[in-house]
């Protein structure tokens, strides 16, 4: 393309620097809150969709790694957290230290430089240690500390990661205390007051031991998002269970079918009645790709039309699911030529672009080239909407594509 628009990526990731909780938690929690410990790795597997690292004691054999330690959790930094800059065949399931990762993973100036290399203007970043919807804190035993941990992360996200140094180019994405919908609503409102317009949520909450979207339990949280214009962002894996077929299936199986969780989740939402009750609610699916969407919408409409009487949705889903999708749901992709060839069946206004920096699936530093190759058949105004325009509208960015709540934006 002669002039490819500057990208607004709606799915990148930050690797939190060691000081996030150390500097923000009360002093009584310094030794129990999330902290980095350097220790050997004894063993690490990722089979059947489950990640299982084992931390060694000082003096044990094994490569040294930086571990997040929090209550009973020992979670190492891994090459999969920050794979950009490495040859694909060199990206393996291994534990690393901060010195072994690309600085743009955790440093704002280095991130902006890597965005410049990749033709990216602005980026929305999901968490790493809290996991994709903050479930690390939801699983913790000490709820008081967990709530402080959530708030500390959000303060760091807004004030530092997306602070003055970022110049509006990094877009804040917060987490909430998922164990209490009222507390979650309060955290949404607290951050909406300082310009935040996106919050992480689980694609399939029951997998985390939480209520499903079909209950009324989440209504305080949903009402807060509806009233403040806060987008609910769901990343693949935000249910702590990646799709797989068996306990011994290699990771390649799950990596091929990661979209399945988004598929299940979207049908949940379309058949939940929540979009009827909360008419301004918006949800987006990060890293789910888009090629699967047309058939699911077709099937959901058929089920709604023919089976709603016995299907349990006649009294709460009052319009065809495809209409609800068009008004409320956004699919996100980084590499989906098939989906772009079927864009008319999805909707130009329901598609967002992403680069997935710094993960192993990332198209960095060639996200522009990938976009040009896959969108070459589309009109320039359509490309503009997909690559940046839809994100500007959805996330309430300035006309220039910057976070409006940032100093000087």
């Amino acid at each position: 393309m002669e002039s490819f628009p500057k990208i607004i990526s709606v799915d990148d990731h930050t690797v939190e620097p060691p000081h996030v909780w150390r500097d923000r938690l009360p002093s009584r929690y310094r030794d129990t809150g999330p902290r980095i410990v350097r220790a050997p790795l004894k063993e690490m597997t990722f089979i059947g969709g489950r990640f299982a690292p084992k931390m060694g004691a000082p003096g044990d054999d094994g490569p040294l790694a930086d571990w997040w330690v929090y209550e009973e959790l020992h979670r190492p930094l891994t090459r999969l957290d920050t794979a950009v800059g490495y040859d694909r065949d060199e990206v393996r399931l291994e534990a690393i230290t901060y010195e072994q990762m690309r600085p743009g993973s955790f440093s704002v100036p280095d991130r902006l430089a890597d965005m410049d290399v990749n033709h990216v203007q602005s980026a929305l970043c999901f968490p790493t240690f809290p996991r994709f919807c903050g479930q690390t804190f939801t699983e913790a035993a000490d709820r008081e500390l967990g709530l402080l941990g959530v708030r500390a992360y959000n303060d760091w996200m807004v004030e530092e990661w997306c602070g003055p140094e970022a110049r509006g180019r990094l877009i804040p994405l917060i987490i909430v205390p998922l164990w209490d919908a009222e507390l979650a609503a309060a955290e949404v409102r607290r951050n909406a007051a300082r310009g935040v317009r996106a919050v992480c949520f689980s694609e399939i909450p029951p997998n985390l031991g939480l209520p499903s979207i079909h209950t009324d339990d989440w209504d305080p949280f949903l009402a807060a998002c509806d009233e403040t214009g806060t987008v609910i962002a769901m990343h693949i894996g935000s249910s702590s269970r990646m799709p797989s077929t068996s306990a011994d299936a290699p990771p390649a199986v799950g990596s091929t079918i990661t979209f399945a969780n988004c598929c299940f989740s979207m049908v949940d939402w379309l058949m939940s009645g929540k979009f009827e009750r909360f008419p301004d609610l918006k949800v987006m699916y990060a890293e789910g790709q888009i090629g699967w969407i047309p058939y699911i919408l077709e099937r959901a409409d058929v089920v709604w039309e023919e089976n709603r009487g016995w299907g349990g949705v006649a009294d709460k889903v009052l319009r065809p699911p495809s209409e609800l999708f068009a008004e409320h749901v956004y699919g996100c992709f980084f590499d989906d030529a098939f989906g772009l060839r079927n864009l008319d069946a999805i909707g130009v206004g329901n598609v967002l672009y992403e680069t997935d920096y710094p993960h192993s699936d990332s198209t960095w530093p060639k996200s522009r080239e990938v976009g040009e190759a896959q969108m070459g058949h589309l009109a320039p105004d359509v490309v503009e909407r997909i690559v940046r325009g839809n994100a500007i509208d959805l996330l309430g960015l300035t006309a220039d594509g910057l976070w409006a709540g940032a100093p000087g934006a």
Side-chain angles (χ1 to χ4, degrees):
M1 292 182 182
E2 185 173 330
S3 179
F4 193 76
K6 290 298 289 284
I7 298 165
I8 297 177
S9 174
V10 296
D11 170 32
D12 284 2
H13 300 263
T14 179
V15 177
E16 301 81 16
H19 68 267
V20 171
W21 290 276
R22 182 191 67 207
D23 290 356
R24 289 171 176 80
L25 291 177
S27 58
R28 68 184 183 275
Y29 288 120
R30 292 282 165 78
D31 295 330
T32 55
R35 58 204 182 277
I36 286 291
V37 173
R38 185 159 292 185
L41 172 73
K42 290 183 67 175
E43 179 184 354
M44 182 161 60
T45 59
F46 185 41
I47 300 295
R50 294 191 177 277
F51 176 52
K54 292 184 180 180
M55 180 177 176
D60 284 351
D61 292 335
L64 285 178
D66 282 336
W67 298 72
W68 281 106
V69 176
Y70 173 47
E71 292 191 343
E72 300 302 312
L73 176 66
H74 299 87
R75 196 275 196 200
L77 301 177
T78 75
R79 177 57 61 208
L80 299 186
D81 292 329
T82 173
V84 293
Y86 284 78
D87 183 90
R88 297 287 184 177
D89 290 336
E90 294 178 356
V91 178
R92 299 180 176 87
L93 187 63
E94 60 183 351
I96 61 172
T97 65
Y98 278 94
E99 289 83 3
Q100 293 171 299
M101 71 172 64
R102 192 172 185 87
S105 303
F106 59 89
S107 159
V108 171
D110 292 292
R111 173 61 63 93
L112 298 184
D114 279 353
M115 289 163 62
D116 290 339
V117 169
N118 201 31
H119 198 67
V120 173
Q121 179 190 29
S122 306
L124 183 80
C125 298
F126 283 83
T128 296
F129 169 71
R131 311 218 299 283
F132 294 146
C133 67
Q135 59 265 59
T136 294
F137 295 107
T138 298
E139 294 168 357
D142 187 334
R143 292 297 196 212
E144 180 183 4
L145 175 55
L147 181 58
L148 290 172
V150 166
R151 291 173 176 167
Y153 175 84
N154 291 338
D155 289 345
W156 170 79
M157 167 61 62
V158 174
E159 298 167 6
E160 187 172 332
W161 184 252
C162 301
E165 197 172 30
R167 306 192 304 279
R169 296 182 61 189
L170 295 173
I171 307 162
L173 174 62
I174 62 164
I175 58 177
V176 292
L178 293 170
W179 62 88
D180 187 315
E182 294 284 358
L183 289 175
E187 191 63 11
V188 166
R189 291 191 171 96
R190 181 176 83 94
N191 286 282
R194 47 184 178 176
V196 177
R197 291 294 178 267
V199 59
C200 300
F201 191 66
S202 174
E203 61 206 352
I204 308 174
N207 284 353
L208 302 178
L210 298 170
S212 82
I213 201 65
H214 300 290
T215 71
D216 294 334
D217 297 67
W218 294 108
D219 284 5
F221 166 71
L222 300 182
C225 294
D226 182 68
E227 293 163 13
T228 61
T230 299
V231 180
I232 296 176
M234 293 173 281
H235 195 285
I236 57 165
S238 56
S239 57
S240 295
R241 189 180 303 174
M242 296 299 286
S244 191
T245 55
S246 64
D248 59 350
V253 172
S255 184
T256 302
I257 57 175
T258 50
F259 72 91
N261 281 2
C262 298
C263 173
F264 299 158
S265 175
M266 189 179 82
V267 175
D268 253 354
W269 280 86
L270 293 176
M271 297 299 187
S272 70
K274 298 303 182 186
F275 294 139
E276 304 281 1
R277 296 185 56 197
F278 302 101
D280 293 322
L281 201 61
K282 310 287 186 184
V283 304
M284 56 168 271
Y285 288 99
E287 209 171 319
Q289 312 303 335
I290 60 174
W292 53 274
I293 292 175
Y295 172 71
I296 295 301
L297 293 179
E298 178 183 286
R299 176 59 184 166
D301 279 357
V302 169
V303 169
W304 180 82
E305 184 67 39
E306 298 183 359
N307 301 333
R308 63 179 180 267
W310 62 263
V313 297
D315 61 342
K316 60 181 180 180
V317 182
L318 307 181
R319 291 186 291 154
S322 60
E323 292 185 15
L324 298 174
F325 172 89
E327 296 176 9
H328 298 275
V329 183
Y330 296 79
C332 311
F333 77 99
F334 56 82
D335 186 359
D336 192 341
F338 179 83
L340 289 167
R341 290 197 300 270
N342 294 275
L343 190 60
D344 289 347
I346 302 169
V348 172
N350 298 86
V351 174
L352 305 167
Y353 198 39
E354 59 189 20
T355 77
D356 195 30
Y357 179 106
H359 285 182
S360 60
D361 268 334
S362 179
T363 51
W364 185 92
K366 297 183 178 180
S367 299
R368 173 180 182 169
E369 289 83 348
V370 171
E372 288 175 329
Q374 296 190 352
M375 300 184 215
H377 64 292
L378 300 175
D381 63 316
V382 172
V383 176
E384 175 79 18
R385 289 187 66 184
I386 292 172
V387 174
R388 58 184 290 112
N390 290 337
I392 289 173
D393 293 341
L394 181 64
L395 298 171
L397 306 180
T398 69
D400 293 329
L402 302 174
W403 175 44

